[in-house]
Amino acid sequence: MPKTTSSHIEDHSEPARDRERRGIQSIEVGGEILKVLCSDPRPMALRDLAKAANMASGKIHPYLVSFGKIGLVAQDPVTGYYLLGPMAIQLGLTSLQTLNPIREATPFAEALANETSHSVALAVWGNLGPTIVRLIDASYPVHTNIRTGTVMSLANTATGRVFSAYLPRQLIDKMLKDDCIRLGPDIAHPLDAKVVENLIDETRARHLSRGVNHPTPGVASFSAPVFDYSGNIALAVTIMGPTGTFDPDWNGPVAKALHSCTTAISRRLGYTQVQAIRSGKVVAG
């Protein structure tokens, strides 16, 4: 029988989990370079790219050559600056075509419900207005008439005011005139038009809408927008609970948890910090 050498013996000294998670370091390094190129839409000089990636130019250059060969990076023939190439663009387009905002948002909404113990709802723009498409119940009963499929009032709910603040004004003005069709049994006393306008302005300023004891007595809520790669509102996330246990402070833990949730979903849908700053939709914190 031939002698077994050490090269033929499988190394079991490394835990199975670590072997499964072990990656290729050079790919991870290259990924950091691509992240820098993704973070700024303008072509970048090699020195600026190296500075942003915190790497030496000599280390980055071979990666750029290889990325250029497969189309992930392109180089401007006049300036020599680097930018994302056609293969990177195609990857992005393919990803966007298969992206489902509700599917992507659901795990974040479930985590928010678990973190806060409050009910969380996802709403999208439907034929009749803001429509609840996903509802994660709280760990305790919340007495509202909100169900999957419920169409929310544009003027009298926190969810509706988020869409009112970020959809085109001409569309909202027309829809607000017909808001009576969205008034469910919870909304016995619709808000005055001037009050509604002030609340919509407040939503734009805070990037957050709040309802306390209205439209449902004894229930408080916050709602915040989620933006997609184009900078448009994709959906709203609403968190709600009884006024006795729900913290309605604008800077309280519930509001901050919701903001973190919607920021993470927006990032997942391709909305970047650069877009946020340019559009004025960024919130500090």
Side-chain angles (χ1 to χ4, degrees), residues 190-211:
L191 297 173
D192 178 77
K194 182 61 177 177
V195 173
V196 171
E197 193 62 40
N198 290 337
L199 289 173
I200 292 174
D201 289 341
E202 180 181 62
T203 300
R204 290 195 194 96
R206 293 184 179 274
H207 308 278
L208 192 66
S209 183
R210 180 178 68 180

Side-chain angles (χ1 to χ4, degrees), residues 4-252:
T4 302
T5 64
S6 60
S7 61
H8 296 131
I9 299 176
E10 185 178 354
D11 182 10
H12 292 283
S13 62
E14 187 179 21
R17 180 181 297 179
D18 290 343
R19 290 200 303 273
E20 291 173 359
R21 295 181 62 183
R22 184 175 58 194
I24 301 174
Q25 186 177 14
S26 60
I27 292 180
E28 295 173 7
V29 173
E32 293 301 316
I33 298 171
L34 292 175
K35 284 181 183 178
V36 173
L37 288 173
C38 287
S39 67
D40 195 324
R42 297 167 298 182
M44 301 183 70
L46 178 59
R47 63 179 180 277
D48 297 329
L49 182 54
K51 182 179 180 181
N54 195 26
M55 299 180 192
S57 299
K59 181 178 180 179
I60 285 184
H61 188 260
Y63 285 94
L64 295 174
V65 172
S66 294
F67 284 151
K69 290 180 179 179
I70 61 176
L72 283 176
V73 170
Q75 187 175 21
D76 188 299
V78 177
T79 64
Y81 287 9
Y82 293 93
L83 66 160
L84 292 176
M87 181 63 173
I89 296 172
Q90 187 59 50
L91 286 172
L93 291 173
T94 301
S95 176
L96 292 175
Q97 289 170 0
T98 59
L99 203 60
N100 182 313
I102 300 170
R103 181 187 65 211
E104 301 298 333
T106 295
F108 293 96
E110 291 174 341
L112 177 64
N114 289 333
E115 176 187 352
T116 62
S117 298
H118 296 310
S119 293
V120 175
L122 301 179
V124 300
W125 185 257
N127 292 335
L128 295 177
T131 305
I132 302 298
V133 293
R134 184 80 168 85
L135 180 62
I136 300 102
D137 290 324
S139 56
Y140 53 84
V142 179
H143 301 291
T144 72
N145 286 324
I146 296 177
R147 300 290 184 272
T148 300
T150 299
V151 179
M152 308 296 285
S153 166
L154 281 170
N156 293 274
T157 66
T159 304
R161 290 191 291 272
V162 165
F163 284 95
S164 297
Y166 292 105
L167 284 175
R169 187 69 206 198
Q170 60 270 28
L171 171 65
I172 294 304
D173 285 343
K174 181 178 183 300
M175 297 289 282
L176 280 172
K177 293 178 182 178
D178 302 322
D179 198 53
C180 57
I181 66 176
R182 304 174 192 83
L183 298 181
D186 280 349
I187 307 175
H189 304 287
L191 297 173
D192 178 77
K194 182 61 177 177
V195 173
V196 171
E197 193 62 40
N198 290 337
L199 289 173
I200 292 174
D201 289 341
E202 180 181 62
T203 300
R204 290 195 194 96
R206 293 184 179 274
H207 308 278
L208 192 66
S209 183
R210 180 178 68 180
V212 180
N213 291 318
H214 189 277
T216 307
V219 174
S221 63
F222 281 116
S223 188
V226 169
F227 302 104
D228 63 16
Y229 64 94
S230 66
N232 294 317
I233 183 171
L235 53 88
V237 181
T238 301
I239 184 168
M240 66 199 93
T243 53
T245 59
F246 187 99
D247 185 351
D249 190 294
W250 288 110
N251 298 309

